[in-house]
Amino acid sequence: MERSLMKGNEALAEAALRAGCKCFFGYPITPQTEISAYLAKKMAKAGGLFLQAESEVAAINMVLGASGTGTRVMTSSSSPGISLKSEGISYIAGSDLPCVIINVQRGGPGLGGIQPSQADYWQATKGLGHGDFHVIVYAPASVQEMVDMVINAFDKADEYRMPAMILADGLLGQMMEPVTFPEIKQKNSEKTWAADGHKNKRKHNIINSLYLQPDVLENSVVERYKRYDTIQENETDAENYLCEDADIVLCAFGATARVAKSAVNQAREKGIKAGLFRPKTLWPFPVNEINEAVKNAKTVLTVEMSMGQMIDDVKLAINCSKPVEFFGRTGGIIPTPTEILAEIEKLGGAK
Amino acid sequence: MTHEIILAGFGGQGVLFAGKVLSYAGLLDGKEVSWLPSYGPEMRGGTANCSVCVSDEPIGSPLILQPNVLLAMNTPSFDKFIDTVKAGGTAVVDSSMVDSTTDREDIKVFYVPATELASENDLNGMANIILLGKIIKETEMFTLDEIKAGLEKSIPPSKAALFDSNIKAIQIGMNS
């Protein structure tokens, strides 16, 4: 299959088209605008609808409407824009509707900056809106994974009738790498719940997130959490790099994992037994996988482009059975392999 | 073997395009490649740059802090990056645009009046490609045929007519 060179944002947009995405609603914001620009050119030719909404709030509610008709739909933004969408995301989750949401993160809080960041980890995995709900969160670390994960995200969103998010960052969105587009098997997902016209042949479907009777609302949430249990059982994914004999296991996701891998390689050259654990799904967090990865380690070092957010999940997942240390840069600064290596050496990195 | 290249200049001089040509040449040569642009307000009239990695190994961080090859097309870029070049590395400088020089003796520096060469040869706007020719000759990163293949992939169909001029620019660079 031919390898072509594409920006992460454009490759992701192309993959969404190939995955059968028929509607895109968005509002421009750096560093993800290439997704909108690409789909503005290509969506209509693919028989779909591209619409630049008047705001992020409008865009996410258009996603809700389109999803309700059973259409594969996507929206995309960067950190401040995702905050604006959060009310709508909660409504979509509460209505049991599938959709794909892209967050190409930039530095925050507030308007922050436009350089890469991972400081929306908590937001994506724990608080993407009000109420008891989750979205599936994928963390790509290469342009190829931007492609593979968005294709998978559409399938999983449909399968579990819930939003799925790609939590990328400005570095992955802007960089070009070789990429190939896999053959896509269109899954037959009949959407019997869709409000797409009953033609007097069936009872009409209702899409709603309002339940004024507490017991009915509780039931609907508990029902959803049963689905979440299945997801936690079946959908975790992670990469384990040289962890088997490692004294120190680094834990990093997304673009940071690439930098951390360089640091691990440099540490190995110096005779330090380092390894890298990289969650590919952030929710569900790969609990079993990380326990396996750190079982022989003395120390765990979490590396993030934030002040330390995933570190909470790392500690919870391993039940604080090892010391979990942290190194991070924030505000749009990308950590360097050299400074991560210094951290590994500082933590003993027993030879 | 890993080449870590920073290409820098004013927005509009074609440093991002030159980086893309190198990336495509690497890809077609079966290498791992990455291309990362600077993005942000500095691109408006200010300096633009990109980091290109061409390697036999999978690429970790695509952000280059210490290049072994530097292409500098304006004075601010030259001043910003010349001291970051790794010892033993190579810098190719458009001396029509850059009025600084360096005292460093641990790197090879080639001053090529690329912008003047471009206008003398009716190749306005192709100083970037002339410098690319100089880079591949001095570093032996790619052969002429490999860079041709990279150009063929990088030039959009709407500008296909410019392919021959680009090849001429490469050759002028290689012979400079």
Side-chain angles (χ1 to χ4, degrees):
Chain A
M1 209 175 297
E2 199 196 356
R3 294 202 306 167
S4 50
L5 202 56
M6 281 178 100
K7 273 194 169 192
N9 283 336
E10 292 175 343
L12 181 149
E14 174 63 30
L17 286 180
R18 290 175 186 234
C21 176
K22 288 289 178 220
C23 285
F24 177 89
F25 306 103
Y27 190 81
I29 180 170
T30 305
Q32 64 77 52
T33 300
E34 291 85 359
I35 297 175
S36 281
Y38 191 91
L39 292 173
K41 270 192 219 146
K42 305 256 178 164
M43 183 62 98
K45 287 176 192 154
L49 172 74
F50 167 89
L51 197 148
Q52 181 174 315
E54 67 269 35
S55 71
E56 285 86 350
V57 177
I60 194 68
N61 285 292
M62 292 173 185
V63 168
L64 191 157
S67 180
T69 69
T71 305
R72 278 201 161 178
V73 56
M74 181 169 93
T75 187
S76 168
S77 193
S78 178
S79 309
I82 296 293
S83 294
L84 284 166
K85 287 181 204 281
S86 73
E87 180 201 42
I89 295 170
S90 173
Y91 278 52
I92 293 170
S95 307
D96 293 313
L97 291 174
C99 69
V100 173
I101 301 159
I102 314 299
N103 182 0
V104 184
Q105 297 169 92
R106 55 189 256 180
L111 274 176
I114 58 173
Q115 299 301 321
S117 165
Q118 297 179 319
D120 302 348
Y121 178 93
W122 279 335
Q123 184 194 46
T125 59
K126 311 202 186 299
L128 200 39
H130 60 280
D132 281 320
F133 78 95
H134 283 293
V135 306
I136 307 177
V137 183
Y138 295 97
S142 64
V143 174
Q144 187 63 53
E145 283 189 350
M146 294 280 263
V147 167
D148 298 340
M149 286 182 176
V150 82
I151 293 167
N152 193 35
F154 275 105
D155 285 341
K156 295 302 169 186
D158 279 352
E159 184 178 340
Y160 296 107
R161 283 183 65 182
M162 62 189 283
M165 172 175 271
I166 306 292
L167 192 67
D169 61 67
L171 188 140
L172 292 164
Q174 295 296 321
M175 72 184 290
M176 285 202 287
E177 269 187 320
V179 65
T180 58
F181 292 92
E183 217 46 61
I184 295 176
K185 289 178 228 104
Q186 292 288 359
K187 295 230 168 96
N188 183 21
S189 53
E190 203 195 341
K191 294 173 175 170
T192 53
W193 45 264
D196 55 354
H198 55 75
K199 301 184 179 77
N200 287 323
K201 284 182 180 156
R202 61 162 168 80
K203 215 167 143 269
H204 65 274
N205 288 330
I206 297 173
I207 288 162
N208 173 43
S209 69
L210 178 68
Y211 300 91
L212 289 173
Q213 281 173 271
D215 55 332
V216 180
L217 177 55
E218 186 187 50
N219 281 343
S220 85
V221 174
V222 168
E223 198 56 47
R224 204 166 292 126
Y225 268 69
K226 283 184 192 149
R227 235 180 302 153
Y228 294 164
D229 288 343
T230 313
I231 294 168
Q232 283 175 299
E233 194 85 7
N234 297 324
E235 303 297 344
T236 57
D237 196 7
E239 178 193 356
N240 180 328
Y241 180 70
L242 304 179
C243 291
E244 190 55 33
D245 68 337
D247 291 322
I248 179 165
V249 170
L250 278 63
C251 186
F253 69 97
T256 310
R258 303 172 67 112
V259 187
K261 197 182 254 186
S262 296
V264 164
N265 288 336
Q266 290 173 13
R268 287 270 168 178
E269 279 167 26
K270 292 190 159 194
I272 301 169
K273 286 184 182 168
L276 171 69
F277 178 76
R278 174 171 76 93
K280 295 180 177 180
T281 53
L282 302 179
W283 194 91
F285 195 79
V287 174
N288 295 337
E289 293 88 336
I290 192 171
N291 277 291
E292 177 66 24
V294 305
K295 67 174 190 247
N296 297 323
K298 298 187 182 84
T299 311
V300 179
L301 171 62
T302 305
V303 187
E304 302 175 54
M305 282 194 279
S306 72
M307 293 302 286
Q309 301 191 4
M310 182 178 67
I311 185 170
D312 294 356
D313 281 339
V314 172
K315 285 180 178 173
L316 279 172
I318 65 169
N319 232 335
C320 292
S321 58
K322 317 260 172 177
V324 181
E325 306 292 340
F326 176 74
F327 178 76
R329 298 296 304 266
T330 197
I333 306 279
I334 300 162
T336 67
T338 314
E339 58 193 9
I340 298 173
L341 178 63
E343 206 61 25
I344 294 172
E345 289 177 315
K346 198 174 90 189
L347 290 170
K351 291 190 185 180
Chain B
M1 181 72 198
T2 297
H3 290 290
E4 295 187 314
I5 310 136
I6 288 183
L7 307 98
F10 287 121
Q13 281 183 308
V15 292
L16 300 186
F17 178 78
K20 192 173 173 181
V21 174
L22 287 178
S23 306
Y24 252 119
L27 179 146
L28 296 170
D29 198 23
K31 307 277 199 232
E32 300 293 334
V33 296
S34 68
W35 174 97
L36 179 71
S38 60
Y39 64 92
E42 80 251 26
M43 287 170 87
R44 278 189 204 145
T47 57
N49 71 74
C50 65
S51 296
V52 173
C53 300
V54 179
S55 180
D56 297 319
E57 308 288 326
I59 292 160
S61 177
L63 180 69
I64 299 167
L65 301 166
Q66 294 179 299
N68 60 5
V69 180
L70 171 68
L71 183 158
M73 292 192 70
N74 65 6
T75 306
S77 301
F78 179 85
D79 293 344
K80 183 175 176 187
F81 293 114
I82 193 69
D83 290 334
T84 67
V85 179
K86 272 188 196 145
T90 305
V92 172
V93 181
D94 185 348
S95 56
S96 315
M97 301 296 291
V98 175
D99 44 31
S100 315
T101 54
T102 179
D103 300 332
R104 286 188 65 175
E105 288 178 354
D106 60 339
I107 59 173
K108 287 182 279 181
V109 187
F110 300 94
Y111 299 93
V112 180
T115 299
E116 285 160 45
L117 285 170
S119 71
E120 281 164 18
N121 289 281
D122 206 17
L123 295 170
N124 279 328
M126 292 192 194
N128 57 338
I129 306 300
I130 291 177
L131 295 169
L132 214 52
K134 187 68 176 172
I135 284 180
I136 62 162
K137 185 191 162 203
E138 299 301 339
T139 63
E140 298 180 340
M141 196 183 302
F142 296 113
T143 64
L144 180 60
D145 282 344
E146 284 163 352
I147 208 78
K148 268 186 191 172
L151 271 167
E152 214 164 4
K153 275 282 189 184
S154 306
I155 297 173
S158 60
K159 294 192 178 162
L162 295 176
F163 180 71
D164 291 341
S165 311
N166 276 274
I167 301 300
K168 191 174 157 197
I170 289 281
Q171 285 165 331
I172 289 170
M174 291 179 84
N175 297 326
S176 66

